[in-house]
Amino acid sequence: LRPELLPTFAALRREAHALIGAAYGQRKELAPGVHFKELQEAAFLGWPAAKAHVAMVSGSLRALQRLLGGIDDEGKETEYRALLWQLASQLHALLPDMFKPCGAFQWRQPPHLL
């Protein structure tokens, strides 16, 4: 999710595409029973961040309050903290007496995730 890594990932994708093309040429299947139309799904498995993700959150309000404490947990992944940040902003808008604003957390989202 860091914009400066985009050229690296673009180069990796080009290289993978070239290797697949060179290895399989005009064949109709990548492997027995695996058709080329499944290539995109295979690529998503190689680059899971390229696939859409949905997060469904359910729980008591108290459990959600505890969950949002993970925003300031340095051991959590940036993507997870960003999801919590977005959840916190929505919950604060709905229930400001129960959920503190995002500005009250020490961690800040990187600008490219805003």
Side-chain angles (χ1 to χ4, degrees):
L1 290 173
R2 297 181 59 154
E4 59 271 17
L5 293 177
L6 182 60
T8 301
F9 288 115
L12 284 170
R13 188 172 175 97
R14 282 192 305 274
E15 184 68 22
H17 188 268
L19 288 171
I20 290 169
Y24 296 104
Q26 298 299 315
R27 290 178 19 193
K28 292 185 179 180
E29 293 183 324
L30 291 170
V34 182
H35 196 271
F36 269 104
K37 63 184 174 186
E38 297 177 48
L39 180 61
Q40 185 173 9
E41 187 62 28
F44 285 152
L45 292 174
W47 288 279
K51 191 170 186 174
H53 295 279
V54 174
M56 183 172 171
V57 179
S58 107
S60 69
L61 293 175
R62 179 66 191 124
L64 290 171
Q65 285 176 319
R66 285 193 309 268
L67 180 70
L68 296 180
I71 291 174
D72 285 332
D73 185 344
E74 302 254 341
K76 301 293 183 193
E77 295 177 344
T78 300
E79 296 83 1
Y80 178 71
R81 294 167 89 179
L83 174 69
L84 292 180
W85 180 278
Q86 293 168 10
L87 182 61
S89 98
Q90 296 303 311
L91 288 171
H92 175 71
L94 291 170
L95 300 164
D97 292 340
M98 294 188 71
F99 296 94
K100 59 186 176 181
C102 291
F105 295 101
Q106 293 178 354
W107 183 78
R108 297 291 181 261
Q109 283 199 87
H112 65 280
L113 292 179
L114 293 174

